[in-house]
Amino acid sequence: MKHGKNYLDSVKAYDKQNLYDPEEAVKLCLETAKAKFDETIELSVKLGVDPRHADQQVRGAVVLPHGTGKTVRVLVVAKGEKAKEAEDAGADFVGAEEMIEKIQKENWFDFDIIVATPDMMGLVGRLGKVLGPKGLMPNPKSGTVTMEVAKAISDIKAGKVEYRLDKTAIIHVPIGKKSFEQAKLDDNLKAIMEAIVKAKPSAAKGTYLKSVVIASTMGPGIKINPVRFS
């Protein structure tokens, strides 16, 4: 893979093999984020679990203290009073059958998160094959299948992020933007790592936090010492 001059200059600014303390890693990440746009700062955590086993899944959600810096578009699938509640709470899109049909027939995905009331999951379930691969299927564990629609929307708009294992036992989650003050990124990093550590499955054996890496969209990965979160 060929890298640009900014990336290559950034790589020279730190020791690729060193394990940094969290605050130092965030500082380096900001210093090596040299793209002209407001890069996303993303955390990648390799866990010592086997994602093939149901009892070793790691999934949940946490409201970042300072949000993600991204405007999140929320679709709420609900009817009646709950639909009205969603509209009043600031949902970007609200509906029931017509929304499911719009996704099915028009391949419409102008939203980032779906919140659904439990009675609507039969409808939403029909879209499993298209929502699942995109990570958009509502789930009770992440608080997106709920009767507390207004709270769910409020949390999401405030900076709630979902974390979940991929097939390689890695969690990828945004913790903010390059334009954030370092202290805010430090707080967000601490919040998400505390949630991941707390979510450790009882079936997990051996080292839980295998590696922790932080990087900007176009920048190199900075390794963080996992022991700092244990």
Side-chain angles (χ1 to χ4, degrees), residues 6-7 9-10 13 30-36 39 178 216 219:
N6 282 343
Y7 181 94
D9 287 344
S10 295
L30 289 173
E31 289 174 353
T32 55
K34 297 184 177 180
K36 293 181 179 179
E39 296 176 70
K178 179 176 71 173
S216 62

Side-chain angles (χ1 to χ4, degrees), residues 24 81 93 119 132 147 186 192 209:
E24 192 176 2
E81 289 184 10
F93 309 99
D119 57 306
M147 290 300 285
D186 289 342
I192 188 66
L209 298 177

Side-chain angles (χ1 to χ4, degrees), residues 176-194:
K177 292 285 188 176
K178 179 176 71 173
S179 56
F180 279 27
E181 297 171 10
Q182 177 170 346
K184 291 184 176 181
L185 289 171
D186 289 342
D187 289 346
N188 283 354
L189 172 61
K190 182 180 178 183
I192 188 66
M193 286 305 301
E194 284 179 351

